[in-house]
Amino acid sequence: DAKTTQPPSMDCAEGRAANLPCNHSTISGNEYVYWYRQIHSQGPQYIIHGLKNNETNEMASLIITEDRKSSTLILPHATLRDTAVYYCIVSDNYGGSQGNLIFGKGTKLSVKP
Amino acid sequence: KAGVTQTPRYLIKTRGQQVTLSCSPISGHRSVSWYQQTPGQGLQFLFEYFSETQRNKGNFPGRFSGRQFSNSRSEMNVSTLELGDSALYLCASSRTGTGSSNEQFFGPGTRLTVL
């Protein structure tokens, strides 16, 4: 079972920042937080991941709380093409988790003009 | 760098047949994972291969099998197809699938329809 909890859906106005929350209250010290998104009928797309520190790349920023029990994915200027299902995943990538990402139901983000 | 490629993109089979799907990972990636996606169950992990060895396996029956070749390309096979096997089959590659290097890059998937 997925170790994360995400809202089932969110709306965002085009050009505004989209802030997608994720709760992972049972995360262990060596588990990473990953974010993926899946645009309809395509394969999931890797966005970003982090362990403890906040991370930023060309797609998004990842803010992880100090206690690591929750995180927020930020798309700074959402466009219509960002409409997708966003998945938050935690994994330590060892043992039975090697090469295995457990996807939950994700958050369906709708960006509206 | 070329992305993950999967062939074929679409496939129609009948119950009882078998099917083989192919996946070519990103160059330099040695871990290949397979997932099944259905509307009811979402994305579910099938198995993962690293250096030609199955390293992890999800909770699927033995009709689902796979292998990996020395060039890291992978195939998965489903025997005795059932209607419930209709799904999008996704392949993902990562450098090692371990530790800090498990960001996975997915292919476009193979859409299998079983009639």
Side-chain angles (χ1 to χ4, degrees), chain A residues 72-92:
Chain A
T72 302
L73 178 75
I74 301 172
L75 307 178
H77 304 287
T79 70
L80 299 179
R81 286 178 293 181
D82 292 322
T83 293
V85 178
Y86 287 76
Y87 297 97
C88 170
I89 300 163
V90 298
S91 177
D92 62 7

Side-chain angles (χ1 to χ4, degrees), chain B residues 27-58:
Chain B
S27 177
H29 285 193
R30 296 168 62 194
S31 168
V32 174
S33 301
W34 288 89
Y35 296 83
Q36 180 197 66
Q37 186 171 29
T38 59
Q41 299 298 319
L43 271 153
Q44 293 186 288
F45 173 73
L46 281 156
F47 30 65
E48 185 250 4
Y49 286 86
F50 179 79
S51 291
E52 303 178 64
T53 300
Q54 186 182 86
R55 189 164 57 176
N56 271 314
K57 187 178 189 305

Side-chain angles (χ1 to χ4, degrees), chain A residues 32 34 36 38 41 43-44 46 49 87 92-101 103, chain B residues 31 33 35 37 43 45 48 55-56 90 97-100 102-108:
Chain A
Y32 294 82
Y34 291 87
Y36 286 77
Q38 187 173 25
S41 295
Y46 166 78
H49 77 284
Y87 297 97
D92 62 7
N93 304 326
Y94 283 104
S97 298
Q98 291 177 109
N100 173 10
L101 293 172
F103 287 80
Chain B
S31 168
S33 301
Y35 296 83
Q37 186 171 29
L43 271 153
F45 173 73
E48 185 250 4
R55 189 164 57 176
N56 271 314
L90 293 155
T98 296
S100 63
N102 193 26
E103 54 268 42
Q104 296 185 12
F105 297 87
F106 285 77

